[in-house]
Amino acid sequence: MLTPKIQDALNAQINAELWSAYLYLSMGMHFEAEGLPGVANWFKIQFKEEQDHAMIFMNYVNQRGGAVELKAIDGVPVKWESPIDAFKATLEHEQKVTAMINDLYLLAEAEKDYATRDRLNWFVSEQVEEENTARELIDKLRMIGDNGMGLYMFNTELAARTYTAAAPLSEE
Ligand code: MG
């Protein structure tokens, strides 16, 4: 069984992952409308990955005999000045998610819930990836500056991104 504190925290995390999904979907739709389908593709895959994150937590809550509570998802921004602005917002958001995962980890230890702590380990590594990828894309866009050919190539590179289900989901 999950303690009430852990269950509430996991439900808050599920909501945060779904909000992340919503944020990246909004970015995907924005850049599609702006004529950058590769950038849009990258964010639409990110949208799916965030849904996977939520699903991993939802499956886990049920596995532990808890109750998933899907709360309202807050609205998200709808407009970004440029791809670099969106990736900077992505990095900033992922840093907040990392802090939430770390808080959850601390709570799991305080509640002596080692199964939850163990489940969180995958997310700890995943957050390193998320932040690093955002940073790399920001660096590339800094190099590109306002070079049109650079942006064309960046868009083409991001068009090649494909979706793979998050590891914990394919293991289940
Ligand atoms: Mg996530």
Side-chain angles (χ1 to χ4, degrees), residues 69-142:
E69 192 188 337
L70 294 177
K71 297 169 195 290
I73 304 167
D74 289 341
V76 289
V78 294
K79 210 173 162 340
W80 292 268
E81 282 306 306
S82 60
I84 200 168
D85 281 341
F87 285 107
K88 280 180 182 169
T90 297
L91 176 58
E92 218 173 279
H93 177 62
E94 290 303 329
Q95 285 167 338
K96 278 184 202 153
V97 174
T98 301
M100 286 185 78
I101 298 284
N102 289 346
D103 286 347
L104 207 48
Y105 199 100
L106 265 180
L107 179 68
E109 288 191 328
E111 298 281 294
K112 295 187 164 59
D113 184 342
Y114 301 114
T116 296
R117 189 184 67 177
D118 190 46
R119 178 70 295 177
L120 289 166
N121 280 327
W122 182 85
F123 285 93
V124 170
S125 317
E126 175 68 9
Q127 286 309 118
V128 173
E129 284 272 307
E130 298 282 35
E131 288 188 28
N132 188 50
T133 304
R135 234 179 262 117
E136 281 175 0
L137 294 173
I138 291 166
D139 287 344
K140 283 183 184 177
L141 286 165
R142 275 208 188 99

Side-chain angles (χ1 to χ4, degrees), residues 17 50 53 127:
E17 300 294 346
E50 297 303 337
H53 297 168
Q127 286 309 118

Side-chain angles (χ1 to χ4, degrees), residues 10-22:
L10 288 171
N11 276 318
Q13 192 64 39
I14 289 163
N15 186 267
E17 300 294 346
L18 291 171
W19 190 86
S20 303
Y22 221 35

